Coordinates of all heavy atoms in Angstrom, one line a residue:
K67 N 38.7 14.4 45.4 CA 39.3 13.7 44.3 C 39.6 12.3 44.8 O 40.0 12.1 45.9 CB 40.7 14.4 44.0 CG 40.6 15.8 43.4 CD 41.9 16.4 43.2 CE 41.8 17.8 42.8 NZ 43.1 18.5 42.7
T68 N 39.3 11.3 43.9 CA 39.5 9.9 44.3 C 41.0 9.7 44.5 O 41.4 8.7 45.2 CB 38.9 8.9 43.3 OG1 39.5 9.2 42.0 CG2 37.4 9.1 43.2
S69 N 41.8 10.5 43.8 CA 43.3 10.3 44.0 C 43.9 11.0 45.2 O 45.0 10.8 45.5 CB 44.0 10.8 42.7 OG 43.7 12.2 42.6
N70 N 43.1 11.8 45.9 CA 43.5 12.4 47.1 C 42.4 12.5 48.1 O 41.7 13.5 48.2 CB 44.0 13.8 46.8 CG 44.5 14.6 48.0 OD1 44.5 14.1 49.1 ND2 44.8 15.9 47.9
T71 N 42.3 11.5 48.9 CA 41.2 11.5 49.9 C 41.5 12.2 51.2 O 40.8 12.0 52.2 CB 40.7 10.0 50.2 OG1 41.8 9.3 50.6 CG2 40.1 9.4 48.9
N72 N 42.5 13.0 51.2 CA 42.9 13.7 52.4 C 42.3 15.2 52.3 O 42.5 15.9 53.3 CB 44.4 13.8 52.5 CG 45.0 12.5 52.8 OD1 44.5 11.7 53.6 ND2 46.1 12.1 52.2
T73 N 41.8 15.6 51.2 CA 41.3 16.9 51.1 C 39.8 16.9 50.5 O 39.5 16.1 49.6 CB 42.1 17.7 50.1 OG1 43.5 17.7 50.5 CG2 41.7 19.2 50.0
I74 N 39.0 17.7 51.2 CA 37.6 17.8 50.7 C 37.4 19.2 50.3 O 38.0 20.2 50.8 CB 36.6 17.3 51.8 CG1 35.2 17.1 51.2 CG2 36.5 18.3 52.9 CD1 34.3 16.2 52.0
Y75 N 36.5 19.4 49.3 CA 36.2 20.7 48.7 C 34.7 20.9 48.8 O 33.9 20.1 48.5 CB 36.6 20.7 47.2 CG 38.1 20.5 47.0 CD1 38.6 19.2 46.9 CD2 38.9 21.5 46.9 CE1 39.9 19.0 46.7 CE2 40.3 21.3 46.7 CZ 40.8 20.0 46.6 OH 42.1 19.8 46.4
T76 N 34.3 22.1 49.3 CA 32.9 22.5 49.4 C 32.4 23.2 48.1 O 33.1 24.1 47.7 CB 32.7 23.4 50.6 OG1 33.2 22.8 51.8 CG2 31.3 23.8 50.8
L77 N 31.3 22.7 47.6 CA 30.7 23.4 46.5 C 30.1 24.7 46.9 O 29.5 24.8 48.0 CB 29.7 22.5 45.8 CG 30.2 21.1 45.3 CD1 29.0 20.4 44.7 CD2 31.3 21.2 44.4
E78 N 30.1 25.7 46.0 CA 29.3 26.9 46.2 C 27.9 26.5 46.2 O 27.4 25.6 45.6 CB 29.6 27.9 45.1 CG 31.0 28.4 45.1 CD 31.3 29.5 44.0 OE1 30.5 29.5 43.0 OE2 32.3 30.2 44.2
K79 N 27.1 27.2 47.0 CA 25.7 26.9 47.2 C 24.9 26.8 45.9 O 24.1 25.8 45.7 CB 25.0 27.9 48.1 CG 23.6 27.5 48.6 CD 23.1 28.4 49.7 CE 21.8 27.8 50.2 NZ 21.5 28.3 51.5

Side-chain angles (χ1 to χ4, degrees):
K67 295 176 185 174
T68 59
S69 63
N70 178 7
T71 57
N72 294 317
T73 305
I74 196 160
Y75 300 84
T76 302
L77 302 182
E78 292 181 343
K79 191 169 187 162

